[in-house]
Amino acid sequence: MAPRHSRRDILRGTLGEDRCPVMRPPGAQTGFDRLCDDCGACARACPQRIIRHAEGGGPVLDFSRGACTFCGDCARACPTGALVVEARDTWPWRAVILPSCLSRQGISCRACEDACEPRAIRFRLQTGGRAVPVLDMDLCTGCGECASACPAKAVAFERALPVSMEVSA
Ligand code: SF4
Ligand code: SF4
Ligand code: SF4
């Protein structure tokens, strides 16, 4: 029987890559796992140094190391066509604030708002004077700056595009 996975596992990308998508570099093509030969050229090309080797094989983005500028250097370096520069605009990931957010726990923190250049994160005042982050999915580019800045590791990412529009499986 196929294993069941929690929403938390999916958001944190802790699942086996055979069952659920992981955050491949921008421009990942349909059939990525077949196309990628795990050569590591994309990771070496990334000026942000945010591409690491996944436990299950192949490259993944690690926003704990920094944010993606969508420069396309990783795709340009890919010799197999697993990553294609032209497809990077279809980056499907968007940020999600987890319950472990310090502001949601009553501890003042605005690191994610300060880090978000597109102003996709705004703080909304709650009754009792507490302000909590609210994310505008339409403004979020999925760049990872907020995750990189968050001291509580309370920003995860989920796919915002419908399956039919996704560029990698
Ligand atoms: S697009 Fe640029 S910054 Fe983003 S992962 Fe690729 S090489 Fe790194
Ligand atoms: S450069 Fe292409 S083939 Fe090499 S690890 Fe990266 S995605 Fe895979
Ligand atoms: S991923 Fe980038 S655009 Fe989206 S909320 Fe975080 S910092 Fe803002």
Side-chain angles (χ1 to χ4, degrees):
M1 195 171 83
R4 297 179 69 84
H5 301 302
S6 71
R7 177 176 164 81
R8 171 174 292 191
D9 285 341
I10 293 168
L11 293 178
R12 288 184 172 169
T14 54
L15 299 173
E17 293 175 41
D18 56 335
R19 301 295 308 168
C20 286
V22 293
M23 195 186 289
R24 300 298 189 188
Q29 296 296 289
T30 301
F32 180 91
D33 290 351
R34 179 176 43 82
L35 292 167
C36 174
D37 66 6
D38 215 354
C39 68
C42 51
R44 290 191 292 277
C46 176
Q48 301 291 99
R49 298 284 181 262
I50 58 172
I51 301 177
R52 66 170 171 79
H53 189 259
E55 276 177 30
V60 289
L61 291 201
D62 184 347
F63 286 149
S64 70
R65 299 178 174 190
C68 180
T69 62
F70 303 106
C71 64
D73 284 358
C74 50
R76 262 178 230 105
C78 178
T80 68
L83 303 176
V84 172
V85 178
E86 287 74 20
R88 74 182 189 276
D89 291 341
T90 58
W91 181 242
W93 299 90
R94 296 294 179 268
V96 182
I97 311 282
L98 298 174
S100 52
C101 161
L102 294 179
S103 291
R104 289 189 181 173
Q105 309 287 332
I107 301 164
S108 179
C109 173
R110 296 217 176 192
C112 57
E113 184 185 47
D114 293 342
C116 181
E117 204 173 307
R119 313 297 294 164
I121 299 176
R122 300 296 178 104
F123 275 69
R124 184 177 296 159
L125 203 59
Q126 307 285 288
T127 48
R130 194 159 53 116
V132 298
V134 177
L135 206 140
D136 185 337
M137 283 280 207
D138 291 334
L139 292 178
C140 177
T141 64
C143 68
E145 286 282 7
C146 51
S148 173
C150 176
K153 299 194 186 322
V155 183
F157 287 81
E158 67 180 2
R159 291 195 156 206
L161 296 183
V163 172
S164 60
M165 292 178 65
E166 287 179 359
V167 293
S168 73

